[in-house]
Amino acid sequence: MSEPTPAEAFAALLARRGDDLVVLVDDFLRIASAGPEAGVLAERDADSLRGMSLIAAFGSAALDGLARRAISAGVVASGEADLGHLNARRFAVDAVPVRGGLVLSLHDISALRRIERVRRDFVANIGHELRTPLTSIKLLAETLSSGAVDDPATMRDFSTQVEREADHLAQLVDELLDLSTIESGATTLSLEALDPEEVVASCLERIGPVAERRDVRVVRLPRRDASVRAWADPARLGQALLNLAHNAVKYSHHGGEVRIGWEPIGDRVRFSVADDGIGVPDAHKERIFERFYKVDRSRVRQKDDTQLGGSAGLGLAIVRHIAEAHGGEVGMATEEGVGSTFWIEVPRAGD
């Protein structure tokens, strides 16, 4: 049996490539053959790639450099290259010398790199969130243990601050575990037909004392059709609405007002929380429901912040995931300096 030509070997490789993308180039790095996926990546018809230089076809200096290294050294060269529209996809590349040229094997690792980036961001964010309360606790404890403070009132104040920071850490851990459970899909919803009025009433009862301590008035919006029912998990829906209420109170001015209510929207029930607080700047609107994303903390009034705990930027992310788990969605309408309305929609129970 005669040895297959590079073109024959390449055709056989194309047939068995799996998820990889392969390109055959000659000694001058001109494309001799390419599969249809290569054409899609280069945004051209695959047949039109023949005879084009590698750099002209894909516009990637990294890919061209790997190919040149393999050709000049006569050995396999491996690396990574960003390709496709706006270089949005990352590929692991192997340039394998063959008689008369190279076979380039490209494996899309974009998803893997995104996961790695999310992991790095997560570690960086959580490290930042943990560092502040832990540093405060350490300094306060060192001051107390050194005997530098002998005034009973000051000692009580320091102890209260330690408790506050410990509560912040506990809240952060609880939110992380909660968000992890929801995102993994491990949460099982206990769906039932709920009276929206009862959901709102429960939220008002829980947020009322906090709002009072922060000099914010909480108002119940007018009741709607008494026959409407929401198809939702009472604990999860209550958690989501309370998160929205907490945020509204936190970002409200002294003497401000928070309005909580609901309304039927087609085959859904929308629960809304409105405030006349500081609003959300335009630059933050698109990312406000992302985990760990926070508007500038200096915009939040600091008086009595202990009543609501610190913010790790997880509350709205939890609301979004709860809504999506129900087959619903979240949204907001806001104007900086005027106020915001955040809402969560869940399915309406069948009549």
Side-chain angles (χ1 to χ4, degrees), residues 85-290:
H85 184 62
L86 300 178
N87 290 330
R89 297 170 65 186
R90 173 62 65 93
F91 286 83
V93 182
D94 292 310
V96 183
V98 295
R99 178 163 51 91
L102 289 175
V103 169
L104 297 174
S105 174
L106 296 88
H107 181 69
D108 193 336
I109 57 172
S110 304
L112 177 62
R113 291 294 178 260
R114 281 195 296 271
I115 292 171
E116 291 177 349
R117 185 169 59 254
V118 168
R119 179 185 59 80
R120 287 195 302 270
D121 290 347
F122 176 83
V123 172
N125 279 313
I126 200 62
H128 174 76
E129 294 298 333
L130 291 172
R131 185 179 298 113
T132 300
L134 286 174
T135 299
S136 297
I137 289 172
K138 185 175 186 296
L139 290 174
L140 291 166
E142 287 176 348
T143 302
L144 289 171
S145 63
S146 68
V149 178
D150 54 9
D151 176 57
T154 303
M155 293 180 66
R156 284 195 298 272
D157 181 58
F158 276 32
S159 298
T160 299
Q161 292 183 54
V162 170
E163 290 181 12
R164 179 190 310 157
E165 297 296 351
D167 287 343
H168 179 196
L169 288 173
Q171 177 192 359
L172 176 59
V173 171
D174 287 344
E175 288 183 342
L176 283 169
L177 292 174
D178 206 12
L179 186 59
S180 176
T181 300
I182 295 171
E183 286 185 334
S184 68
T187 300
T188 301
L189 299 178
S190 299
L191 300 174
E192 58 183 87
L194 304 176
D195 183 349
E197 288 295 334
E198 294 182 2
V199 176
V200 170
S202 175
C203 181
L204 288 165
E205 182 180 357
R206 296 171 68 182
I207 198 63
V210 176
E212 183 178 352
R213 287 191 292 267
R214 294 173 64 88
D215 190 26
V216 174
R217 189 164 66 102
V218 179
V219 176
R220 183 177 193 155
L221 293 177
R223 289 170 169 78
R224 301 282 182 170
D225 185 350
S227 66
V228 173
R229 293 293 180 268
W231 187 246
D233 182 307
R236 287 298 185 186
L237 178 57
Q239 175 189 10
L241 191 59
L242 186 61
N243 279 357
L244 295 181
H246 271 217
N247 270 5
V249 171
K250 179 185 295 185
Y251 289 98
S252 289
H253 302 293
H254 287 288
E257 181 179 274
V258 170
R259 300 169 293 281
I260 305 175
W262 69 275
E263 61 181 320
I265 304 287
D267 60 354
R268 292 181 176 179
V269 178
R270 173 181 290 185
F271 294 86
S272 63
V273 179
D275 64 67
D276 52 7
I278 61 177
V280 179
D282 290 342
H284 297 273
K285 290 179 181 178
E286 290 187 2
R287 301 188 60 190
I288 198 71
F289 287 100
E290 294 180 14

Side-chain angles (χ1 to χ4, degrees), residues 15-98:
R16 301 172 63 87
R17 67 189 184 281
D19 293 330
D20 287 353
L21 181 152
V22 290
V23 178
L24 177 65
V25 298
D26 62 21
D27 287 334
F28 299 98
L29 301 187
R30 293 189 300 255
I31 297 175
S33 186
E37 291 86 354
V40 172
L41 190 64
E43 299 181 340
R44 301 171 183 268
D45 182 83
D47 291 336
S48 70
L49 294 177
R50 290 194 184 95
M52 291 185 66
S53 69
L54 200 58
I55 189 72
F58 296 102
S60 170
L63 181 63
D64 187 72
L66 279 170
R68 291 183 182 278
R69 191 193 320 159
I71 284 286
S72 62
V75 295
V76 175
S78 299
E80 296 183 8
D82 293 324
L83 302 170
H85 184 62
L86 300 178
N87 290 330
R89 297 170 65 186
R90 173 62 65 93
F91 286 83
V93 182
D94 292 310
V96 183
V98 295

